[in-house]
Amino acid sequence: HMALAHLMKRDFVRIAWTTNFDRVVEDAVNQVMETSSLLTVGDLGEPDRISTAYTQQRWPIYAKLHGDFQSENLKNTRQELATQDAAMREVFLNTCRNHGLAVTGYSGRDQSIMDVLRDAINGGRGFPNGLFWFIRETDNIYAGVVDLISDAKAAGVDASFVKAESFDELLSDIV
């Protein structure tokens, strides 16, 4: 997470989306940037914060698709995960249609997230900087993810699986 914070500080990562509830990234950014005021954080209770920061290109942005453990709105159960908050979905879809996406540490089993990624393909116009799904050598890749990457490729999106042993090693290698 410290490596991610360094990448954010250097404007190599402008938007990070997460399904995690913790504050590990915020803590890392605070330590690396020596302030918490430069990172725009939003969760289910404040999708407008993410949308506004994105529109104004106020980087970096950290968006919590399932909420935050300290917020009132959380998505955790199968029923809650079936659909995405409409406002959060819209900004997530918009960023995917206008940027690339690198996915790491995520199984793809949340249908509401996968629906957004599928819609973002947008007939090959989405993910203009690519869609890259990082996997471990030993992973059994969820069928929905295999289909997503295949459909993205078929639509002309630069999409592929990339092998990396872990989030920590991947970010360490990048830094």
Side-chain angles (χ1 to χ4, degrees):
H1 295 96
M2 294 295 287
L4 179 60
H6 281 284
L7 293 171
M8 288 176 161
K9 181 178 182 178
R10 288 166 180 77
D11 199 34
F12 290 126
V13 173
R14 291 182 168 182
I15 305 170
W17 296 90
T18 188
T19 56
N20 294 340
F21 300 126
D22 58 42
R23 300 260 171 121
V24 178
V25 171
E26 293 101 306
D27 292 345
V29 168
N30 189 39
Q31 187 172 346
V32 168
M33 295 186 186
E34 299 178 346
T35 181
S36 61
S37 64
L38 298 176
L39 179 66
T40 300
V41 180
D43 61 34
L44 295 173
E46 49 206 3
D48 289 342
R49 178 181 287 181
I50 300 300
S51 181
T52 299
Y54 176 71
T55 300
Q56 295 174 354
Q57 297 186 1
R58 237 182 18 234
W59 319 120
I61 299 170
Y62 188 54
K64 297 183 171 196
L65 291 164
H66 290 169
D68 181 288
F69 75 91
Q70 293 182 334
S71 68
E72 291 185 27
N73 298 324
L74 287 177
K75 285 185 174 280
N76 197 22
T77 67
R78 183 179 303 267
Q79 185 177 5
E80 291 168 342
L81 295 174
T83 59
Q84 186 54 249
D85 172 82
M88 188 66 92
R89 182 189 198 287
E90 188 60 32
V91 70
F92 184 38
L93 178 61
N94 190 29
T95 61
C96 289
R97 284 187 171 168
N98 291 289
H99 299 276
L101 183 67
V103 180
T104 181
Y106 178 63
S107 71
R109 285 181 167 76
D110 176 344
Q111 194 58 48
S112 69
I113 303 294
M114 294 301 288
D115 288 346
V116 173
L117 298 179
R118 183 163 298 288
D119 289 349
I121 294 171
N122 198 24
R125 293 182 302 275
F127 303 107
N129 296 319
L131 171 59
F132 306 99
W133 204 288
F134 289 84
I135 59 170
R136 284 180 240 152
E137 187 87 37
T138 58
D139 281 351
N140 290 322
I141 305 167
Y142 182 60
V145 174
V146 173
D147 292 344
L148 174 73
I149 296 297
S150 177
D151 291 348
K153 283 181 181 182
V157 173
D158 183 11
S160 62
F161 290 105
V162 180
K163 292 182 181 169
E165 206 43 47
S166 69
F167 173 80
D168 293 339
E169 287 185 27
L170 169 67
L171 273 282
S172 178
D173 287 348
I174 290 170
V175 169

